[in-house]
Amino acid sequence: DVLLSQPLDEQVSLSEQDPSARAVFPFERMIEPSVHPSLVGEVGTRTLVGQYAFGATPRHPFLAAILRYVRRASLEPRWALVPPPAAGDEDDDKTVLYTTGPALVSRAFFEGGFAGKVRLLYASAAGPDAPSGWGSFGPGNWHHHHGTWKGGALDGARLIERAERHTAAGRHEQAANLFLRALLHGASGWSSELVLDVDQRRQRCYHQLGRLAEAHLA
C-alpha cells in the first residue's frame, strides 16, 4: 500500500556518492509517549523509523542489525519491550510492531548508532512534527497505512471508537491522537463531511486541553 509517484533515480544515484545513502529508510512519524512508553522511555526517541519501503546495498550492516534484533525478540520476548495496552486501548496489541515492525527497526537504528550511516527520508519542509509529512518515502511517495495485515486494527471506524472511549473518560490527548490516526489511515475512502466531522472532534480535544494552537497544526 505504497504509492510511488516519483522515480527513485535520485536515491540510487546518491547511494553511489554518499555513504549514508547506501541504506535509505523512511521517517514514519513522531510517536506519543503515552502510546509507545517503552520506545520513548527505554530507547529515548520519539522518532519512528519506517520499513514499509527501503533500499540498501548488499550486506549493509543495518540490515544485519535488524535481523539480529528480530531473532533476539523472538527468543527473548521481555527484551522486545512490547508495551502493555494503555487504558482505553485494550484491543491495541503492539507485539508485531516491536518484534518485526517499525518499533524494532527504530531500536536497531538508534541503539546501533546508525544515525550517520543510514539516510532517513523526510517529506515535509515544516519538520518532523508536521503530520503532512508522515508516512512518506521522500517527496511524492506515500504509505497509505492501510495495515490490512493487522486485521482491522487500523480501521478508521475502530480508531474513532477508541478515540470516543478516551473522550468519555476525559483522556483528551489520547483521543486527539486517535482521531488524527483515523484521518491518516481511513480518510481516503471517506466523504468530505465525515473527514470534516472527525477533524472537528480532534480539534475539540485540544480545546478541552486548553491548547488551542495545536488544534490547527495537523
Side-chain angles (χ1 to χ4, degrees):
D1 61 344
V2 178
L3 171 66
L4 295 180
S5 63
Q6 298 290 330
L8 300 176
D9 297 350
E10 180 182 355
Q11 305 308 326
V12 174
S13 177
L14 278 173
S15 70
E16 299 172 353
Q17 308 165 27
D18 181 1
S20 70
R22 290 175 185 164
V24 179
F25 277 70
F27 162 76
E28 183 153 349
R29 64 184 178 90
M30 300 299 288
I31 57 175
E32 306 83 31
S34 61
V35 179
H36 292 276
S38 55
L39 198 59
V40 175
E42 299 290 334
V43 183
T45 181
R46 289 189 59 230
T47 295
L48 195 67
V49 179
Q51 36 58 290
Y52 46 81
F54 61 87
T57 54
R59 302 181 184 276
H60 194 283
F62 185 47
L63 299 184
I66 292 171
L67 292 175
R68 287 196 299 271
Y69 271 53
V70 169
R71 183 175 187 273
R72 185 169 181 183
S74 69
L75 296 174
E76 304 176 46
R78 292 185 63 182
W79 174 87
L81 300 178
V82 180
D89 292 329
E90 288 78 10
D91 57 348
D92 184 24
D93 184 359
K94 292 184 171 61
T95 300
V96 172
L97 297 179
Y98 279 78
T99 54
T100 61
L104 178 138
V105 172
S106 300
R107 284 190 68 185
F109 180 84
F110 290 104
E111 293 178 350
F114 286 101
K117 304 170 186 175
V118 174
R119 188 165 183 249
L120 292 187
L121 296 182
Y122 295 85
S124 174
D129 285 306
S132 59
W134 294 358
S136 69
F137 191 62
N141 303 315
W142 299 98
H143 180 208
H144 288 301
H145 291 98
H146 291 319
T148 52
W149 58 272
K150 293 185 179 181
L154 293 181
D155 176 73
R158 185 171 173 182
L159 291 170
I160 291 171
E161 181 183 341
R162 285 171 52 196
E164 289 172 340
R165 290 203 300 264
H166 283 294
T167 300
R171 295 185 291 263
H172 299 293
E173 184 160 9
Q174 291 92 326
N177 289 328
L178 282 166
F179 281 130
L180 176 59
R181 289 178 64 193
L183 289 166
L184 290 172
H185 296 307
S188 61
W190 293 351
S191 68
S192 58
E193 291 81 6
L194 180 56
V195 171
L196 179 62
D197 176 66
V198 173
D199 190 50
Q200 287 176 337
R201 282 189 265 178
R202 180 191 65 81
Q203 292 182 32
R204 283 198 291 271
C205 292
Y206 285 110
H207 281 261
Q208 290 288 338
L209 292 166
R211 290 152 51 182
L212 305 188
E214 292 183 58
H216 304 284
L217 288 179

